[in-house]
Structures are given as C-alpha cells and as structure tokens.
Amino acid sequence: MNEEVLTEFNKQQFQQDLLSWYYQHKRDLPWRQDQDPYKVWVSEIMLQQTKVDTVIPYFYRFIDKYPTVYDLAAADEQEVLKAWEGLGYYSRAKNLQTAVREVVASYGGVVPANPKELGSLKGIGPYTRGAILSIAYNQPEPAVDGNVMRVISRILKIEEDIAKVKTRNIIEKEVREIISKDDPASFNQAIMDLGSSICTPKAPACTFCPIQEHCRAYADGVQDELPIKSKAKKQKKIPYIALLIKNENNEYVIEQRQDSGLLANLWQFPMVPIDEVGRKDLENWVFSEYGLKVKIKEHKGNLKHVFSHIIWQLEIYEAETINVASEDQRLRFVNIHEIKGYPFPVSHQKMMKYLSE
DNA sequence: AACACGGGGGC
DNA sequence: GCCCCAGTGTT
C-alpha cells in the first residue's frame, strides 16, 4: 500500500458520518416542512447572501401572501417589492416573479425538474438550480454556495481562491463525486448546516465535527487558513444631501427610483449628489430636476449607509415647497401614513424618524 | 474575469 | 473597521 491509498477519501463512511449527524441535528426551518418546489425556490432565492434568521419572517409573510406560483404570478409588482422591503438585492424579487410567470405560461405551473429548463429561468443560477433539484426533486445535483465551498475546501484541502469561478467549478465537480445518491437532499443541506454551525469561517469547532476524521485541512492543522479568498476592494464613498420636502398640507415629496440598477423601483426622499451638483446650486438643481421650488431649512442629522460596493453619506435637511401639479409620474406628495404603503430602502426608512405631522 | 447589487451580524 | 452570508446578471 502506498501513501496515496492510506489518505484516500472514504466516500461511503463520509456520507454516513455526515448524514447521521444531519438526521440528528437538522434545524426545523419553515421551508423544510415539505418539499414543495415553489417554497424551496422562494426560500433559496431569499437565502442568497442572506442569513437564515433574517429570512425566516420574510418567508412566512411571503408564502402567506403568495402561497402558490399562480398567486405570485398574478401579484402586483410594487406589492411584491413591498413584501421584499428590507431584504435587499431587490432584483431577486423582480426576477423571481418574472420566472414564476414563465413557469405558469410555459410549464403549466409546475417548476421544471430538469437542469436545462430550471436553469434557464430568471434568477436561477447554478446554486439555486442544484438546490431545487436536490431538495425538492431528490436529484444528486451539487448546490455549491459559500458554506459548501468552505467545507469542501477544508475537507479536501483545496488551496485555490474560492472567489474564482474556476474554483467553484472544481468544488462542484468534487461534490458530484461524493454526493449521496440515496439522499442528495439531506446531503446538500447537511453540508450547509455544518458550514453554518460547526465549520464556520472563523474558529471552526473541529472537536464537534462529525466529519473531522475525513478532513485533510484538520489533519494538516490548516483549517484556519482555509478557504483562501481574495479580498473585495473598498467601497467608494458618495456624499448626498437628502431632502425632507414638506408642502403646505404636511405632505412630503417622495420619488420612485429608476427601474434598473441600485434599489430599482423603490421609493425615496429626493437626494442631491453633492459631488456633481455642489452646495451653492442645490435649490436650482432641485428645480431643474423635479420642477419644485424649495427653500432649504433645518439640518436634521447625518446618516451613513453601507452597501456592498458603495457608501452613502447622507446629510439630511428639511425643506419647504408649495404643492405643484408635477408632470413627473415618479414624484408624489404623501402624508406620513400613506408613506408606509411604499417600498423604501432601509437607508431612507432611517430618515423617517425626522418626519413630523 | 470583474463588477453591480442590500442589509445585517459577528468579532 | 473587516469579514461573512443558502449568488446571479451584466459587461
């Protein structure tokens, strides 16, 4: 026997150790009540780049409001966005509804059970495709997310940068090799559960790990060095003056953002990009941009809001205007009760504490 | 291959 | 502050 054989990966034992642990410790999550492909789908979209604890209340409300693909397909887009408010990455909501409408129109309301059709739907990439096929349809397909990349790169001691597409593909291929054919749904979810509770990014709890004896990183004492991941670049700061513009009826001006890009179609208080406009021309700019004659009043406070790629620095000012019949369909005057019906980004929800009757 | 795209939580 | 999170679409 050579050394290669001694360190060879014991697939059967690995599966058994992982799955027994999972059957004993799996969390009772709302999307694990049944295997309804639509519910699995909704949960997987919500869980993209988002923690389980954050998703749970959104998932309950969303499924309560849109229990089937038909309900979501028929829903009003703004209401869907309102249901998504605060969850972030709002294109997920738009893409989900687009895809659900496609399922109703082209697949008789049945979520496709094959990789090609499923993966062609808007918002369903390699991860979500694998997650739905394995969890809802019991197919032995990899579902490689951040957890899986971390766990597998440690288990197999893969020292490639997991930020690279190539590495993701390597890991997907490895998972295809070692996935349980008997219970692929549990296998994929087991690795994700393990990644969130034991095989954590920092200080993994290797002493409690059910697959410790299969872990090459642990064997070599390098579990804290893996996975290797290149750093994201620093966010650029963008200063704005945000305006709480009130008219004589105690209504505030809100505007709808454009239908693509950052926070697409959400509503906000008018913001002036200071770097482009300058402070001197502020009121002129507001008039040219919105057709509103405003008078800047009191400085109410400052707000910093961090996105994944930029940072907004908001200076908040109160302002006054007179009611005008604006041509701009994306502009509205609303009172502090009506405002609650519009989907707002968190940054502007924080500004609402400065509103007054 | 790089970047845009939210928000929250751990340390 | 930095890093991470059940990623995908666009360029």
Side-chain angles (χ1 to χ4, degrees), chain A residues 9-18 178 182 214:
Chain A
F9 192 73
N10 187 336
K11 184 163 78 169
Q12 309 302 330
Q13 191 63 46
F14 173 80
Q15 291 177 356
Q16 191 186 316
D17 291 342
L18 179 66
I178 63 175
D182 296 326
H214 304 277

Side-chain angles (χ1 to χ4, degrees), chain A residues 277 281-294 328:
Chain A
V277 177
D281 299 320
L282 206 147
E283 293 180 352
N284 285 335
W285 185 86
V286 171
F287 182 69
S288 63
E289 185 75 10
Y290 300 106
L292 296 171
K293 285 195 190 300
V294 300
D328 194 339

Side-chain angles (χ1 to χ4, degrees), chain A residues 47-312:
Chain A
L47 285 161
Q48 288 169 10
Q49 302 294 291
T50 311
K51 292 271 198 331
V52 165
D53 289 342
T54 305
V55 167
I56 289 173
Y58 282 91
F59 179 81
Y60 277 125
R61 285 196 298 267
F62 199 89
I63 292 299
D64 192 48
K65 191 162 186 182
Y66 310 115
T68 71
V69 288
Y70 298 102
D71 300 302
L72 183 55
D76 172 67
E77 269 189 56
Q78 279 287 299
E79 281 191 30
V80 174
L81 212 45
K82 184 70 187 171
W84 210 268
E85 181 186 59
L87 202 49
Y89 286 149
Y90 298 94
S91 65
R92 291 184 294 177
K94 183 173 187 174
N95 290 340
L96 176 59
Q97 195 183 25
T98 301
V100 159
R101 286 174 171 164
E102 174 75 12
V103 166
V104 168
S106 305
Y107 301 108
V110 180
V111 180
N114 65 82
K116 195 171 176 183
E117 290 176 342
L118 189 59
S120 73
L121 295 171
K122 206 79 172 161
I124 298 187
Y127 166 75
T128 307
R129 181 185 67 209
I132 295 173
L133 289 174
S134 61
I135 297 171
Y137 291 122
N138 297 309
Q139 295 179 25
E141 289 287 322
V144 177
D145 68 344
N147 281 316
V148 177
M149 288 209 276
R150 183 173 59 258
V151 172
I152 298 301
S153 65
R154 282 175 178 157
I155 293 295
L156 300 179
K157 199 184 170 193
I158 292 170
E159 297 171 291
E160 310 276 332
D161 183 355
I162 63 165
K164 306 256 185 230
V165 178
K166 186 181 150 209
T167 308
R168 209 204 74 89
N169 288 329
I170 291 172
I171 293 186
E172 190 170 290
K173 196 176 165 198
E174 298 290 0
V175 172
R176 209 174 275 285
E177 285 294 318
I178 63 175
I179 192 170
S180 163
K181 304 288 193 292
D182 296 326
D183 193 351
S186 295
F187 183 93
N188 281 341
Q189 293 177 94
I191 297 192
M192 294 188 243
D193 273 23
L194 189 75
S196 72
S197 61
I198 291 178
C199 196
T200 48
K202 304 249 163 104
C206 300
T207 48
F208 300 117
C209 182
I211 51 174
Q212 183 209 93
E213 59 183 87
H214 304 277
C215 187
R216 291 176 180 168
Y218 181 79
D220 294 352
V222 296
Q223 67 272 21
D224 290 328
E225 329 299 327
L226 294 177
I228 292 168
K229 189 176 183 182
S230 50
K231 294 189 202 310
K233 65 172 192 179
K234 236 173 67 174
Q235 302 103 317
K236 186 183 173 187
K237 296 185 170 107
I238 310 177
Y240 289 95
I241 287 182
L243 297 173
L244 301 170
I245 308 171
K246 194 160 39 161
N247 70 10
E248 66 275 19
N249 302 323
N250 282 332
E251 294 166 326
Y252 287 91
V253 177
I254 62 171
E255 64 165 329
Q256 189 173 28
R257 295 178 61 85
Q258 59 186 68
D259 70 356
S260 67
L262 184 63
L263 305 169
N265 284 333
L266 271 72
W267 293 76
Q268 66 178 22
F269 302 104
M271 300 204 306
V272 185
I274 290 303
D275 281 350
E276 299 166 31
V277 177
R279 291 169 185 277
K280 301 190 307 292
D281 299 320
L282 206 147
E283 293 180 352
N284 285 335
W285 185 86
V286 171
F287 182 69
S288 63
E289 185 75 10
Y290 300 106
L292 296 171
K293 285 195 190 300
V294 300
K295 188 170 193 176
I296 308 294
K297 311 285 276 192
E298 188 187 349
H299 177 226
K300 305 294 285 189
N302 297 323
L303 215 54
K304 186 176 87 160
H305 193 80
V306 179
F307 297 88
S308 42
H309 58 305
I310 53 173
I311 297 174
W312 280 358

